[in-house]
Amino acid sequence: MRNKFLIALFAFFGLAVANSNAQQKIGYISLDYILAQMPEAKQVETELTTTKTQYDNMYQSKVKDFQTKLADYEKNGATMADVIKADKEKELQALQSQIEEFRQNSSTSLQKKQAQLLQPLLKKIEDNMHATAKENGFAFVFNYDAGQGTTPIVLHAPEDANISDLILKRMGVTPKPLAPAAATPATTTPATAAPKKN
């Protein structure tokens, strides 16, 4: 009899714990949506655009120099002495390598700069997300944005579980509906590929 009572008591507490766990609030945010509305994100985007423009201009200058020297080589190559012709070919190959190296380095540098500039914004969002979740009783908060070209982490949720606007309000930003194309500042490479020598 005592065993039956203990079993019933454990079952009761097990159901009570399961019931309280089932009632925990789960929320989600859209990191891209929040970032796009932060004034600081616009400054980041402007700074990245300026840097990218500088890289693009330098890349185009290097390509133009290469093309000028290639055109001269193609025009006068037949009349050049073998030593001069070999030297010009070596110079063109070196320029082509430098252009490709610059393209790769500028792309990496731009990505690092984006990560560096976004880090304080992401930390601010994270801190405000934790405070908002605590204030509103959310036990778990997921990010709806899984990354470009991937399936979102949250596939379905009620709209009242989206706490993105609460976080924006907590940061002093009045939420505005965004156009579907809005997103975080994106990095792009300065150019697609190095020029090819004919």
Side-chain angles (χ1 to χ4, degrees):
M1 175 105 172
R2 181 180 167 121
N3 286 342
K4 287 182 181 179
F5 175 73
L6 287 175
I7 291 171
L9 189 60
F10 284 127
F12 173 76
F13 282 121
L15 286 173
V17 169
N19 192 30
S20 69
N21 285 340
Q23 293 179 5
Q24 289 182 334
K25 286 174 76 174
I26 297 174
Y28 68 94
I29 65 169
S30 173
L31 187 60
D32 289 346
Y33 168 79
I34 295 171
L35 262 176
Q37 298 203 45
M38 293 176 70
E40 302 97 314
K42 289 168 184 39
Q43 295 167 353
V44 167
E45 188 171 6
T46 299
E47 194 167 336
L48 288 173
T49 300
T50 301
T51 302
K52 183 184 177 307
T53 299
Q54 292 171 351
Y55 289 156
D56 286 346
N57 291 341
M58 177 63 81
Y59 178 84
Q60 293 303 325
S61 173
K62 288 179 177 292
V63 169
K64 185 176 180 184
D65 183 45
F66 172 83
Q67 289 170 340
T68 301
K69 290 180 179 181
L70 178 61
D72 179 61
Y73 171 82
E74 289 173 341
K75 180 181 177 185
N76 302 313
T79 60
M80 288 180 190
D82 289 344
V83 173
I84 296 174
K85 188 174 183 176
D87 186 65
K88 295 283 186 187
E89 288 173 355
K90 194 173 181 182
E91 181 185 11
L92 287 169
Q93 289 171 352
L95 285 172
Q96 194 170 14
S97 295
Q98 289 171 11
I99 290 168
E100 179 59 23
E101 183 180 1
F102 179 80
R103 186 190 67 77
Q104 290 173 357
N105 290 343
S106 60
S107 176
T108 301
S109 174
L110 198 60
Q111 289 171 356
K112 284 181 182 176
K113 183 167 188 157
Q114 181 186 34
Q116 178 187 8
L117 292 173
L118 285 177
Q119 185 57 39
L121 278 64
L122 296 174
K123 176 71 173 136
K124 182 177 180 179
I125 292 170
E126 180 184 5
D127 291 346
N128 282 282
M129 181 272 303
H130 287 301
T132 301
K134 189 173 184 179
E135 285 173 2
N136 293 280
F138 286 93
F140 301 95
V141 177
F142 295 94
N143 181 17
Y144 182 82
D145 310 313
Q148 192 173 24
T150 60
T151 304
I153 295 169
V154 178
L155 299 176
H156 177 77
E159 187 57 37
D160 63 348
N162 184 349
I163 63 171
S164 301
D165 286 346
L166 294 175
I167 294 169
L168 283 167
K169 288 175 187 172
R170 181 176 180 78
M171 292 190 298
V173 177
T174 303
K176 298 176 243 157
L178 294 179
T184 57
T187 59
T188 55
T189 56
T192 54
K196 299 289 184 215
K197 189 180 105 176
N198 290 343

